[in-house]
Amino acid sequence: MQNRLLALPLVAGAAALALTGCATSSASGDASGDGTIAVVASTNVYGSIVQSIGGDHVSVTSILNDPSQDPHSFESSAKTQLAVSKADLLIENGGGYDDFMTTLADASTTKADTINVVKLSGLDKGGDAEFNEHVFYSYPTMVKLVADVSKRLSALDEGEKATFQDNADALTTKLERLESETADLQKTYAGEKVSYTEPVPGYLFDAIGLDNVTPEAFSEAIEEGDDVPPAALNDTLKLFTNKTVQLLAYNDQTSSPETEQVKKAADDADVPVVGVTETLPKGEDYVSWQQANIDAVQAALQK
């Protein structure tokens, strides 16, 4: 998937002037003006992780934070650009998922460091294979991110290094527990066939050893917002009418006539539908969100 979150209108006039006056990141980690480290994350998934590590010592702005929002349709504002221009640290998913972060950073000439989570993950090996950029469902990647965030926050506020490390250690323990749970599920469910409308939970499925059999032409078309080839749609529908798969993972934040057809086919065939999202549901942090995803997949596989 490339450039899915890039609807970025030009901001002119007063917004441009505001950016000119706020382009330099504070070296002391006080760009927020209240003594905290200002961090801007592309989504609240990463914002939650930073908040867990930084606590009261960080001010986090998550650009995409509405669970009802289609994350594929993002529009910037002067307020968003101003937050980026004043940030001490930026976090982007990368891999073409949130290119608007690069656009915002370039427009503001910020000097803040940027963590690109796809690059940090090491999962993209290049080549011709389609890369799944939803690395926020990869728990080993999130462990790497926690360590990197802790290191960078400590560099911005050395006096709180011990606090950041303690919080990072506690969060890492929780993430490793999620890894352990998926490893246990793999012992029972490895090889079970499943399907998804988009590869959002792909890394979670991989961790459990599940076999995604969705026609690539279907999920790729949905992901790119293109028309689904009729043959790919028919082959996908057969997964449910023939009860080939144990569950359907359905992206609750995007829909199309084709995904609705597939969801109906799953419902009609009594194949469990597991809703997945690309941003945190209201009231959840990263760990509780992913725990709920694991529990939902397990419950579906047990049916």
Side-chain angles (χ1 to χ4, degrees):
M1 179 181 74
Q2 295 293 324
N3 303 328
R4 299 190 61 195
L5 311 183
L6 49 68
L8 185 64
L10 295 176
V11 179
L17 292 174
L19 290 172
T20 301
C22 302
T24 303
S25 169
S26 167
S28 65
D30 191 19
S32 62
D34 61 1
T36 59
I37 300 170
V39 182
V40 176
S42 62
T43 78
N44 62 1
V45 173
Y46 298 126
S48 170
I49 288 175
V50 174
Q51 195 69 64
S52 294
I53 299 168
D56 294 337
H57 304 288
V58 295
S59 297
V60 180
T61 298
S62 296
I63 294 177
L64 295 176
N65 59 12
D66 184 350
S68 65
Q69 178 182 17
D70 180 351
H72 311 154
S73 302
F74 167 72
E75 291 189 1
S76 180
S77 66
K79 183 178 180 180
T80 303
Q81 291 199 333
L82 185 60
V84 169
S85 73
K86 296 176 68 177
D88 297 302
L89 178 65
L90 303 173
I91 303 179
E92 65 183 13
N93 187 83
Y97 184 83
D98 47 8
D99 286 344
F100 64 83
M101 288 292 288
T102 300
T103 304
L104 288 167
D106 289 347
S108 69
T109 63
T110 178
K111 298 185 186 304
D113 286 341
T114 298
I115 299 176
N116 182 305
V117 185
V118 165
K119 289 182 180 178
L120 181 68
S121 74
L123 291 169
D124 188 0
K125 306 300 184 183
D128 297 330
E130 184 74 15
F131 175 67
N132 180 7
E133 67 279 10
H134 302 93
V135 294
F136 38 87
Y137 273 78
S138 165
Y139 307 142
T141 295
M142 295 303 99
V143 170
K144 290 182 180 179
L145 177 61
V146 168
D148 198 14
V149 169
S150 177
K151 179 183 71 174
R152 292 175 189 260
L153 293 182
S154 296
L156 289 165
D157 187 350
E158 293 183 0
E160 297 300 333
K161 181 177 180 179
T163 298
F164 299 146
Q165 187 61 59
D166 287 346
N167 291 342
D169 289 345
L171 181 53
T172 297
T173 297
K174 293 178 181 178
L175 294 172
E176 290 174 343
R177 191 174 300 129
L178 296 179
E179 289 186 76
S180 178
E181 287 190 37
T182 57
D184 286 343
L185 290 176
Q186 186 179 82
K187 297 173 184 176
T188 302
Y189 299 108
E192 294 284 357
K193 291 180 171 56
V194 295
S195 181
Y196 50 51
T197 54
E198 299 179 60
V200 174
Y203 293 108
L204 174 57
F205 283 1
D206 291 344
I208 302 174
L210 302 177
D211 180 15
N212 167 58
V213 294
T214 311
E216 185 176 344
F218 176 85
S219 56
E220 184 174 337
I222 295 300
E223 195 173 23
E224 299 293 345
D226 295 334
D227 292 334
V228 178
L233 176 59
N234 287 335
D235 288 343
T236 304
L237 293 173
K238 287 178 183 177
L239 296 177
F240 306 99
T241 56
N242 294 340
K243 294 194 174 183
T244 303
V245 295
Q246 299 301 309
L247 65 85
L248 167 68
Y250 184 88
N251 188 346
D252 284 334
Q253 289 177 275
T254 63
S255 64
S256 70
E258 293 90 351
T259 60
E260 289 298 316
Q261 271 188 270
V262 168
K263 185 178 181 182
K264 184 177 185 303
D267 287 336
D268 290 346
D270 291 325
V271 173
V273 177
V274 176
V276 295
T277 61
E278 300 180 53
T279 56
L280 297 186
K282 187 176 180 179
E284 301 282 0
D285 61 20
Y286 179 83
V287 173
S288 65
W289 173 53
Q290 286 300 319
Q291 184 66 64
N293 286 328
I294 292 173
D295 291 346
V297 169
Q298 181 179 14
L301 292 170
Q302 289 175 336
K303 290 184 178 180

